[in-house]
Amino acid sequence: MNDAQPQPGSRLPAFINVRALERRWRRLSVTDLVVWGIGVVLLLFVFWRIVLTFGQGAYTLESFIKNVIFGLAQGSIYALIALGYTLVYGILFMINFAHGEVFMSGTYIGFFVIAAMEESGFLAEQTLLALLIVFAVGMLSSMAVAVTLERIAYRPLRKAPRLVPLITAIGASIFLQQAFRGLFGSSTKVYPHVHLYALPQLFPQLEDGKGMDLISGKYDVQFALLGNDVNLVVQPFIFVIFIVALLMMAGLYWYVQRTKAGKAMRAVAEDKDTAALMGINVDRVIVNTFAVGAALAGAAGVLFALYTYQVTHTMGFIPGLKAFTAAVLGGIGNIPGAMFGGFALGFTESVAPGLLSIPHQLKDVVAFSMLVLILIFRPTGIFGEVLSEKKA
Amino acid sequence: MALLEAKDIHTYYGKIHALKGISITVEEGEIVTLIGANGAGKSTTLNTICGITPAAEGQITLGGKDITRTRPHEIVALGVGQAPEGRKIFTRLTVTENLEMGAYARSDEDGIKRDMEYVFTLFPRLKERERQLGGTLSGGEQQMLAISRALMAHPRILLLDEPSMGLAPLLVQDIFHTIEELNQAGTTILLVEQNARMALGVADRGYVLQTGAVVLADRAEALRQNEMVQKAYLGGAH
Ligand SMILES: Nc1ncnc2c1ncn2[C@@H]1O[C@H](COP(=O)(O)OP(=O)(O)OP(=O)(O)O)[C@@H](O)[C@H]1O
Ligand SMILES: [Mg+2]
C-alpha cells in the first residue's frame, strides 16, 4: 500500500491538497491545460485592470466605501438564498433550481399582504407589527411552495437517476413563474415605501424629529478618512438587512447544531438508511430541510422587495442564479460555505466593476467569471470537501 | 408467542431474489445467531425485519404485531434496534450526538439519560470520547458506539450485524463478552456473524443461511457438532 507513506508537505493547510495536485499533474490532459490557461489569463486580466485603475487614480476611497456598503446588502440576500440551495443539496444531492421561484413566491404573496395593510392604514399606524406580519407571510408562503414542490415533484423521483429531479426542478421553476404570471399578470407590482422611525432622541435632526427612517431613509454623511473627504448617501436599511441576515444565520446555526431536528438533519444528510434505523422519519426531515431553506428565502425576498420596491414573476431568476453561484463558490452542501459565498459574491460584484474600470452593468459577468475561476482552481468550492465515492 | 417471527419472507433487490422464503423466530430473552457465507442474505434478513428492504412476500411480526409493511422509523419505535454492518457511525456527529440519534424515537428524557449512563458503564472508552466526532474513533470504538447507539432506542430486540468484523481478536472477545452481558441483563439478541465459532459460543440457537434460504436450524451446541457446519463455517480441524 503506497497510500500509507507519509506525504511530503502533508502539514500544509488542508485546502492545498498536495496529493490531489500531484495526481492531477500526472494525468494532465490538453483540456486541463486549456482550462488552466483560461483561468490564468482571466487572473492576469483582473490584475492588469486593477493596476490600470489605480494608475489612473480613477478609484476613490469614496466609491470603495460605497461599494462595500452596498455589497453588504447584496451579500446578505445572496447568502440567505444560497443557504436554501446548500441545505437541500446537503441532504438530497440535488440542485433545487426552483429555489429562485420559492424566493419569488414568498415575496409576491407578501406583496398582497403589505399592499392591503397600506390600504387600510395599518402599515402607517403599526409599522413594526405590520412588517413582522409581512415577513411571517413571506416566509410561510415560501415554505408552503417549497414543501408542496418536494411532495409532488421531487419525492416521487428520489430513487431516479440524479438528472431526472434536476430537470424536474427546472420545469418546476418555469411552472411557478408562469403560474404567477397567469394568476397575477406580468406587470411589476410596487412594494409600498415603508417608513419605520427609530431612535428620535439619538437623531433629533432627522425626519422632523421623528428619528431615523430605518427602511426608506437616505442620509448624507460626510467625514474625512485618510486625508480624503468622503461624501456618502447612507441607507440605514442596508444595515438592517445585514443584521437581519446575521440573526437568521445564527438561528440556523443553532437549529442545525443544537436542536434534535437539526441533528437529525445532519444524520440524514450523512446516511438516510442508518438514520431510519435510528427511528428518524427521513421524509419528515427532508420536508423540514426544504421548509427551513424556504423560510430563509422568503425573508430574503421581503428584504429585497423593501429595498428595490419591485415584485415580478421573474424576480427570482437572477438572484436565484447568483445565490446558486454563491453556494457553489462556498462549496455546495456546506452551510458556512454558503454564507461565505454569498457575502464574497455580493462584495465582489459590488466592488469589482469599479476596481477593474469596467461598466457596472458587467457585474453579472464578474459574478459568473468568479464561478468559472473557482471551478477551475478549486472545483469543490472554498469550503467544500472532496465528494466521497458514495455521494459523487 | 415468539418475540420476533419472520414467516417465509422473500426480498428482492430489483431482479435479484436475495431472500427466498426465510423463516426464523426469536423468543424473548434468547440470543439467536444467523451464520452463512458472504452473500447468503444475512444482512438482507436484518434489513427486511427493519423495513429498510421491505419483504415482497411473507410476514414479520413483533410480539404478535404485524410489522411487514411498517415504515423503518416506526419499527424502531416499536422496539427493534439494529447495529448495522460496517457500523455506519455518523462521522460528522459527536459520540454523544450519535447516541442521541439512537434515542430519537423516545421522549422519556430521564430514561434516555439513564440509558446513556448505562452504555457509558458498558463502554467507558466512549465516555472518554464523548465530544469527539464519530469519524475520528477507531474501528473498535466505532463498533462500541454502534452497539450503544442501537441500545439507546431501548429495544425489545437488538439486531447486531457482524459486530466482530475487522476487530483484533482481543477486542472480539470483549465484544462477545458484552453481548452475553447484555443478554443476561435481559436483552433479546439476533446476531449475524461470520465468526461462527464465537457466535455459536454465545447463542442459544442458530440458523445457517445459504443463498437466501435457511438450510439448517438447531440449538447452538447441536450446530457446533454438525459435520457440515464444522466443515464449512468452523474451519474443519480446530
Ligand atoms: N443493495 C443491493 N443491491 C443489489 N443486490 C444486493 C444489495 N445488497 C445485497 N445484495 C445481494 O443480496 C444478496 C444477499 O446479500 P447480503 O448483504 O444480505 O449478504 P450477507 O449474508 O449479509 O453477506 P456478508 O456476509 O458479505 O455481509 C447478495 O447476493 C448480494 O449481492
Ligand atoms: Mg452482511
Side-chain angles (χ1 to χ4, degrees):
Chain A
M1 289 274 282
N2 48 3
D3 258 25
Q5 294 168 9
Q7 288 294 316
S10 59
R11 274 197 229 109
L12 285 170
F15 61 88
I16 305 179
N17 188 337
V18 176
R19 254 203 271 173
L21 280 179
E22 267 177 17
R23 233 179 294 131
R24 271 172 87 172
W25 184 249
R26 255 182 270 124
R27 283 201 232 122
L28 206 63
S29 68
V30 179
T31 351
D32 284 339
L33 278 177
V34 171
V35 166
W36 276 65
I38 293 173
V40 169
V41 167
L42 260 171
L43 282 179
L44 284 176
F45 172 79
V46 167
F47 188 68
W48 170 64
R49 295 300 297 192
I50 292 176
V51 169
L52 215 64
T53 305
F54 279 105
Q56 294 165 339
Y59 203 63
T60 61
L61 188 64
E62 187 176 293
S63 50
F64 181 73
I65 294 175
K66 212 185 289 176
N67 290 334
V68 166
I69 292 176
F70 182 71
L72 211 59
Q74 189 131 298
S76 302
I77 302 285
Y78 289 162
L80 285 176
I81 309 174
L83 283 166
Y85 283 102
T86 253
L87 284 168
V88 166
Y89 187 88
I91 265 197
L92 290 179
F93 309 114
M94 174 206 140
I95 312 284
N96 179 12
F97 268 119
H99 191 57
E101 277 59 48
V102 168
F103 160 86
M104 176 274 287
S105 310
T107 322
Y108 216 113
I109 296 168
F111 162 77
F112 292 118
V113 175
I114 199 169
M117 288 193 295
E118 188 192 29
E119 190 90 345
S120 72
F122 185 71
L123 183 62
E125 270 167 40
Q126 292 283 339
T127 311
L128 187 60
L129 184 61
L131 281 175
L132 290 176
I133 293 173
V134 176
F135 272 101
V137 168
M139 291 164 82
L140 288 172
S141 311
S142 286
M143 285 160 88
V145 169
V147 167
T148 312
L149 213 54
E150 192 277 331
R151 186 70 194 83
I152 63 179
Y154 302 151
R155 191 180 300 181
L157 300 173
R158 211 174 287 154
K159 295 225 161 66
R162 287 171 63 187
L163 196 57
V164 177
L166 196 73
I167 293 166
T168 308
I170 295 172
S173 158
I174 296 170
F175 170 82
L176 282 169
Q177 277 189 30
Q178 295 308 315
F180 273 79
R181 192 180 79 148
L183 286 170
F184 309 117
S186 53
S187 63
T188 300
K189 312 283 181 292
V190 182
Y191 251 59
H193 287 235
V194 181
H195 304 283
L196 181 67
Y197 300 104
L199 306 173
Q201 293 89 352
L202 213 56
F203 305 101
Q205 75 280 23
L206 299 178
E207 312 281 352
D208 306 323
K210 282 185 280 189
M212 182 183 273
D213 183 351
L214 290 179
I215 311 284
S216 300
K218 288 185 177 154
Y219 305 106
D220 291 321
V221 176
Q222 287 154 8
F223 56 93
L225 186 69
L226 306 172
N228 293 284
D229 277 330
V230 180
N231 291 297
L232 295 176
V233 180
V234 174
Q235 289 176 268
F237 190 48
I238 286 190
F239 298 96
V240 172
I241 292 177
F242 181 59
I243 289 166
V244 170
L246 284 190
L247 286 176
M248 299 204 73
M249 289 181 209
L252 177 73
Y253 185 82
W254 171 81
Y255 177 80
V256 170
Q257 291 298 325
R258 296 268 176 271
T259 67
K260 194 170 163 182
K263 290 171 192 172
M265 198 180 272
R266 286 187 282 143
V268 171
E270 210 171 304
D271 185 340
K272 287 177 197 50
D273 281 346
T274 307
L277 283 181
M278 302 295 110
I280 296 170
N281 184 343
V282 173
D283 284 337
R284 167 113 43 91
V285 170
I286 290 172
V287 168
N288 277 350
T289 309
F290 273 87
V292 169
L296 298 173
V302 174
L303 289 171
F304 186 76
L306 287 171
Y307 186 76
T308 61
Y309 305 116
Q310 291 178 2
V311 180
T312 65
H313 64 282
T314 54
M315 67 174 285
F317 184 68
I318 291 291
L321 214 52
K322 293 286 182 60
F324 169 64
T325 303
V328 172
L329 209 64
I332 190 143
N334 183 299
I335 292 176
M339 300 179 188
F340 173 84
F343 283 112
L345 189 70
F347 279 117
T348 312
E349 247 190 57
S350 182
V351 172
L355 212 53
L356 306 180
S357 305
I358 55 177
H360 190 67
Q361 284 81 346
L362 289 184
K363 67 186 171 70
D364 294 356
V365 176
V366 171
F368 297 121
S369 305
M370 211 168 144
L371 179 67
V372 171
L373 280 177
I374 287 287
L375 289 178
I376 291 174
F377 291 112
R378 192 164 160 79
T380 54
I382 292 169
F383 287 77
E385 42 198 308
V386 179
L387 289 182
S388 64
E389 302 287 301
K390 201 174 143 206
K391 289 184 198 169
Chain B
M1 180 184 50
L3 176 57
L4 180 77
E5 180 161 20
K7 260 188 282 186
D8 195 30
I9 51 174
H10 291 256
T11 300
Y12 296 81
Y13 292 102
K15 286 203 175 71
I16 299 170
H17 196 173
L19 300 187
K20 301 167 184 154
I22 282 191
S23 299
I24 59 172
T25 59
V26 184
E27 304 289 337
E28 190 100 46
E30 270 189 319
I31 299 184
V32 172
T33 183
L34 301 182
I35 56 179
N38 293 113
K42 306 180 296 291
S43 301
T44 306
T45 305
L46 296 193
N47 284 331
T48 298
I49 293 169
C50 290
I52 299 283
T53 53
E57 281 169 59
Q59 194 192 33
I60 303 168
T61 56
L62 180 73
K65 186 177 157 52
D66 189 335
I67 58 165
T68 321
R69 302 271 173 273
T70 310
R71 296 173 63 201
H73 66 273
E74 289 163 349
I75 292 177
V76 178
L78 290 173
V80 180
Q82 188 189 157
E85 184 173 8
R87 297 141 200 164
K88 303 284 172 64
I89 294 305
F90 298 116
T91 57
R92 290 188 293 253
L93 269 59
T94 65
V95 167
T96 310
E97 286 171 341
N98 267 283
L99 293 173
E100 284 169 14
M101 290 301 102
Y104 189 84
R106 299 169 65 180
S107 49
D108 55 325
E109 296 302 328
D110 293 342
I112 294 173
K113 209 176 277 167
R114 218 176 314 118
D115 283 350
M116 186 131 12
E117 271 155 32
Y118 174 64
V119 299
F120 282 147
T121 54
L122 215 52
F123 301 110
R125 289 261 282 280
L126 293 183
K127 174 80 182 161
E128 293 162 27
R129 286 162 176 69
E130 258 179 312
R131 287 171 189 286
Q132 217 167 300
L133 290 183
T136 66
L137 298 183
S138 75
E141 288 159 358
Q142 290 196 358
Q143 188 58 61
M144 297 174 196
L145 181 54
I147 295 175
S148 304
R149 192 177 60 175
L151 284 172
M152 287 302 294
H154 203 83
R156 298 171 70 186
I157 179 166
L158 178 64
L159 314 185
L160 301 175
D161 197 345
E162 302 203 27
S164 74
M165 185 167 63
L167 301 187
L170 260 175
L171 206 51
V172 174
Q173 298 263 349
D174 277 356
I175 293 279
F176 273 89
H177 206 81
T178 310
I179 290 171
E180 280 186 302
E181 204 178 311
L182 282 171
N183 181 244
Q184 272 147 27
T187 312
T188 307
I189 294 170
L190 178 56
L191 171 67
V192 163
E193 258 304 335
Q194 291 268 343
N195 190 335
R197 184 181 308 280
M198 293 293 287
L200 291 173
V202 298
D204 300 298
R205 289 189 301 115
Y207 293 86
V208 180
L209 264 58
Q210 231 168 53
T211 56
V214 175
V215 291
L216 263 179
D218 212 333
R219 311 234 18 109
E221 310 93 63
L223 286 178
R224 260 182 311 198
Q225 306 307 322
N226 184 293
E227 209 172 303
M228 183 277 250
V229 173
Q230 283 190 345
K231 231 168 96 194
Y233 305 107
L234 299 177
H238 202 62

